[in-house]
């Protein structure tokens, strides 16, 4: 095993890890060695062909359908330089005050997080799209909300030179979506931060002067053919670092720390894992809509989130995912898919509670296993969200609405005044409704004691002064909004603690 020495090792290059290396660029400029390890590869836009199944396999772990143990929910997250920011839509929302105040963590202040998040909004060119760039799907969402007297909020999206190809979740073929692979990591590399791809960190452990990483650089041919090799020769490396920052995301960070043996001293490690379970609804209109043209998402309705624990967003999904989301089969399913170009789409999302038994564990090979169940309050929130979405569809002029928790699943305008009765928890059978989650959180939650948390409010793993976490796994509870800006703000907050340690 070859030995490598460095000052700081960062594991994972997504929203969290990409932010950390950008903040640590000043160390690299000052001559310190900072290395960013990413188990995936670096993909350029020439790989992004917009074909749904190809891109799901290339960009997402488990093809975007990583199952939880009871198969009631599938999880979407990405690997490769940029992590899930390669496939995110770019919805750029600030952390809500009520959630940060509820966390009640000394040193984690809402105003401070917002200031950091605002700086990333500027860095990522997040802005409100002008009227002509808003497509029919978003216009109908806004129209439906307005007709109901509800406030549809337009949010900023982080694009530069967007050509409106609507492929954001399949990797932007135009380099227009601002993820960490586009903005923060190139800046860090220009300052001297080293990037090592196809480098999976198997374990981390304490050494005499910091941490020791067991890194495996893959020699295997990439399953998707000709793809850039790692910057290092394939093989095993023992990397000695004064400080280690874990940013593998909410599934892999707890798994890495568990297989490294930290679970013995940290009873909460992997626990309080949470996500914002979501599913797609469609409304059928009488004429074609410009859904597959234009940026897919600009509006949300979140007025009920504090009380009813849901929010809904305009969205656009590709035919395969849409087909998977439509409950039923046979002629009705076929007819609805044939109407694809006339479908308005809305994503409904629920905010669930972080519970100790919702958790990441590891299997015999040390790989993550996610134990997550849809709890009754979450199903209630999804049903309330579905009722709200159905109202928006009909108010926007839809002829029919497909809702998996409705009976019948296809509601017509005649059902419009009976939505509350038609859509019910009774019809929501976990496993038979296609639910997925892309907002994954917790498992290495911040806090003040080892009985309730894994890290301090500054992301330092309890009892391990050399080891930090800086990603979505830090969240003590669901953030109740699209999370990437909060992940970046928190990662930047953790990076300041790392800078302070490195300057001593
Ligand atoms: C389809 C999709 C759409 C989304 N849209 C939005 C949106 O519009 N707005 C928003 O706010 N949020 C969105 N999100 C969520 C957002 O992308 C995530 O919250 C955010 O990227 C999480 O950051 P992270 O650093 O925790 O993990 P990630 O960004 O997932 O990065 C983790 C990285 O660590 C690497 N890694 C893991 N383990 C190891 C290891 N052992 N060794 C080396 N490398 C490792 C992984 O390969 C990965 O690249 C979306 C997510 C998805 C999947
Ligand atoms: S809509 Fe814009 S940001 Fe999204 S994939 Fe197309 S060009 Fe890229």
């Amino acid at each position: 095993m070859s030995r490598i020495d460095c000052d700081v090792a960062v594991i994972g290059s997504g929203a969290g890890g990409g932010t950390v290396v950008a903040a640590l660029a000043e160390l690299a400029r000052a001559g310190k060695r900072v290395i960013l390890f990413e188990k995936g590869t670096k993909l350029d836009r020439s790989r992004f062909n917009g074909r749904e199944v190809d891109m799901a396999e290339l960009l997402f772990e488990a093809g975007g359908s990583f199952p939880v143990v009871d198969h009631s929910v599938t999880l979407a997250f990405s690997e490769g330089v940029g992590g899930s920011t390669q496939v995110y839509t770019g919805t750029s929302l600030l952390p809500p005050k009520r959630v940060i105040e509820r966390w009640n963590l000394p040193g984690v202040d809402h105003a401070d997080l917002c200031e950091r998040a605002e700086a990333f909004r500027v860095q990522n060119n997040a802005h409100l799209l002008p009227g002509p760039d808003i497509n029919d799907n978003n216009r109908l969402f806004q129209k439906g909300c307005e007709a109901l007297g509800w406030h549809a909020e337009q949010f900023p999206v982080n694009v530069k030179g967007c050509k409106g190809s609507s492929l954001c979740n399949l990797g932007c073929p135009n380099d227009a979506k601002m993820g960490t692979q586009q903005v923060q990591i190139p800046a860090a590399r220009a300052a001297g931060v080293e990037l090592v791809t196809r480098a999976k960190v198997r374990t981390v452990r304490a050494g005499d002067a910091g941490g020791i990483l067991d890194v495996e650089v893959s020699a295997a041919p990439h399953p998707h053919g000709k793809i850039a090799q790692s910057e290092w020769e394939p093989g095993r490396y023992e990397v000695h670092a004064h400080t280690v920052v874990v940013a593998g995301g909410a599934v892999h960070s707890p798994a890495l720390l568990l297989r490294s043996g930290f679970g013995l001293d940290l009873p909460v490690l992997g626990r309080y894992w949470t996500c914002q379970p979501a599913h797609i609804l469609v409304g059928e209109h009488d004429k074609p809509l410009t859904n597959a043209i234009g940026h897919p998402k600009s509006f949300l309705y979140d007025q009920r989130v504090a009380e009813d624990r849901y929010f809904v967003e305009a969205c656009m999904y590709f035919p395969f995912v849409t087909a998977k989301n439509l409950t039923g089969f046979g002629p009705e399913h076929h007819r609805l898919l044939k109407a694809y170009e006339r479908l308005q789409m809305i994503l409904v999302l629920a905010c669930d509670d972080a519970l100790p038994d919702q958790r990441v564990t590891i299997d015999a090979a040390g790989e993550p296993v996610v134990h997550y169940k849809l709890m009754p309050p979450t199903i209630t929130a999804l049903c309330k969200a579905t009722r709200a979405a159905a109202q928006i569809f009909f108010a926007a002029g839809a002829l029919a609405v497909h809702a998996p928790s409705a009976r019948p699943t296809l509601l017509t305008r005649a059902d419009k005044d009976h939505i509350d009765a038609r859509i019910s928890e009774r019809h929501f059978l976990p496993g038979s409704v296609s639910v997925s989650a892309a907002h994954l959180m917790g498992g290495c939650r911040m806090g003040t004691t080892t009985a309730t948390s894994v890290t301090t409010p500054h992301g330092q793993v309890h009892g391990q002064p050399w080891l930090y976490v800086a990603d979505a796994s830090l969240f003590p509870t669901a953030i109740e909004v699209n999370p990437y800006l909060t992940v970046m703000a928190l990662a930047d907050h953790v990076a300041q603690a790392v800078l302070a340690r490195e300057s001593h």
Side-chain angles (χ1 to χ4, degrees):
M1 210 188 266
S2 315
R3 174 173 170 150
I4 303 278
D5 287 278
C6 67
D7 295 287
V8 185
V10 180
I11 303 164
S13 67
T19 302
V20 170
V21 289
L24 301 189
E26 63 183 78
L27 294 180
R29 265 187 235 106
K32 290 209 174 198
R33 189 169 188 193
V34 179
I35 308 180
L36 173 61
F37 294 100
E38 168 55 51
K39 71 183 171 69
T41 189
K42 183 164 167 26
L43 294 165
D44 66 58
R45 64 177 173 174
S46 66
R47 301 288 311 193
F48 303 148
N49 64 16
R51 288 192 200 116
E52 198 179 351
V53 177
D54 289 358
M55 293 302 99
E57 286 176 358
L58 180 68
L59 283 160
F60 288 87
E61 282 205 39
S65 295
F66 186 99
V68 302
V69 168
D70 75 359
H71 288 259
S72 59
V73 181
T74 57
L75 310 177
F77 55 103
S78 186
E79 72 168 10
V81 177
S84 300
T85 76
Q86 297 179 103
V87 294
Y88 69 10
T89 322
T91 305
S92 301
L93 288 160
L94 299 179
K97 192 170 185 193
R98 65 178 182 284
V99 178
I100 306 304
E101 286 184 350
R102 214 184 295 140
W103 288 357
N104 191 22
L105 293 168
V108 178
D109 173 63
H110 178 254
D112 173 72
L113 285 185
C114 282
E115 201 176 309
R116 292 178 201 277
E118 279 290 7
F120 290 116
R121 264 187 177 175
V122 173
Q123 217 172 73
N124 287 355
N125 200 41
H127 60 284
L128 299 180
L129 291 183
D133 292 352
I134 301 294
N135 70 7
D136 284 350
N137 199 48
N138 281 278
R139 265 197 287 274
L140 286 170
F141 184 91
Q142 192 188 20
K143 179 181 162 189
C145 286
E146 257 172 30
L148 293 164
W150 300 353
H151 174 65
E153 185 188 337
Q154 185 180 2
F155 49 73
V157 292
N158 61 13
V159 293
K160 194 187 263 181
C162 174
K163 294 188 175 154
S165 58
S166 217
L167 294 168
C168 311
N169 298 146
L170 303 182
C172 176
N174 304 310
D175 278 348
K177 196 171 42 132
M178 299 293 111
T180 53
Q181 78 285 3
Q182 202 72 9
V183 183
Q184 287 78 23
I185 294 171
R189 291 185 77 188
V193 170
E194 295 168 53
L195 169 67
V196 188
T197 56
R198 304 200 68 193
K200 177 173 179 173
V201 178
R202 296 164 63 99
T203 57
V204 290
R205 64 181 200 275
D208 292 340
I212 302 173
L213 287 66
D214 175 359
V215 182
E216 181 171 23
V217 174
S218 177
H222 195 279
H224 298 283
K226 213 167 150 244
I227 270 180
Q229 288 305 306
S230 177
E231 295 71 7
W232 287 4
E233 287 297 316
R236 291 284 278 277
Y237 294 82
E238 190 176 87
V239 177
H240 292 242
H242 181 243
T243 306
V244 176
V245 183
V246 177
V251 170
H252 283 294
S253 286
L256 169 60
L257 295 181
L258 283 166
R259 68 175 175 263
S260 302
F262 291 99
L264 293 175
D265 295 327
L266 298 168
V268 169
L269 181 57
R271 293 182 182 273
Y272 296 97
W273 191 89
T274 177
C275 61
Q276 289 171 166
H279 65 82
I280 305 168
L281 303 182
V282 301
E284 187 180 350
H285 285 260
D286 59 358
K287 52 180 185 302
L289 313 172
T290 57
N291 280 357
I293 303 168
H295 189 279
K297 253 192 197 189
S298 270
F299 284 92
L300 92 162
Y301 169 69
D302 67 351
Q303 306 290 297
R304 308 292 313 165
V305 67
E307 274 171 61
D308 288 337
R309 318 275 289 145
Y310 74 81
F311 55 106
V312 300
E313 295 180 341
C315 73
M316 194 290 287
Y317 283 90
F318 308 100
F320 178 79
V321 170
T322 308
K324 189 181 87 168
N325 269 264
L326 298 178
T327 305
F329 54 90
E332 187 189 298
H333 191 267
H334 185 242
R335 195 200 61 75
L336 207 50
L337 266 184
K338 281 284 214 190
Y340 183 77
E341 63 173 2
R342 292 187 283 110
L343 297 182
Q344 182 188 351
M345 299 187 189
I346 294 180
L347 185 70
V348 302
L349 301 100
C351 309
D352 59 358
D353 292 325
L355 301 169
D357 289 341
Q358 310 273 48
R359 60 191 292 218
V360 174
T361 60
I362 48 172
D363 64 16
E367 295 304 320
V369 178
V370 180
H371 304 259
Y372 176 82
K373 280 188 192 311
L374 284 171
M375 304 305 275
T378 310
I379 292 175
T380 296
L382 281 171
C383 287
K384 286 183 176 172
T386 302
R387 288 186 196 117
Q391 285 181 266
I392 296 170
F393 283 127
F394 283 128
L399 304 173
V401 171
H402 179 277
S405 46
R407 288 297 176 275
T409 47
L410 196 69
L411 304 176
T412 64
R413 290 191 73 81
D415 300 304
K416 167 164 106 46
D417 299 324
H418 311 285
I419 284 172
D420 286 357
R422 296 275 190 275
I423 297 171
S424 155
E425 290 88 331
R426 281 198 317 281
H427 310 313
F428 190 107
L429 306 174
S432 72
V433 179
S434 175
V435 180
S436 66
H439 301 165
L440 318 180
M441 298 163 272
C444 299
R445 68 194 324 232
M446 298 177 287
T448 49
T449 68
T450 49
T452 57
S453 60
V454 173
T455 80
T456 68
H458 288 93
Q460 187 209 303
V461 174
H462 292 303
Q464 309 294 338
W466 53 276
L467 182 59
Y468 287 80
V469 176
D471 61 18
S473 69
L474 289 173
F475 289 21
T477 65
I479 191 69
E480 300 181 8
V481 73
N482 306 54
Y484 96 84
L485 275 178
T486 310
V487 176
M488 292 186 84
L490 270 180
D492 192 52
H493 160 84
V494 173
Q496 303 315 310
V498 174
L499 282 172
R501 173 175 155 83
E502 286 301 310
S503 64
H504 285 136

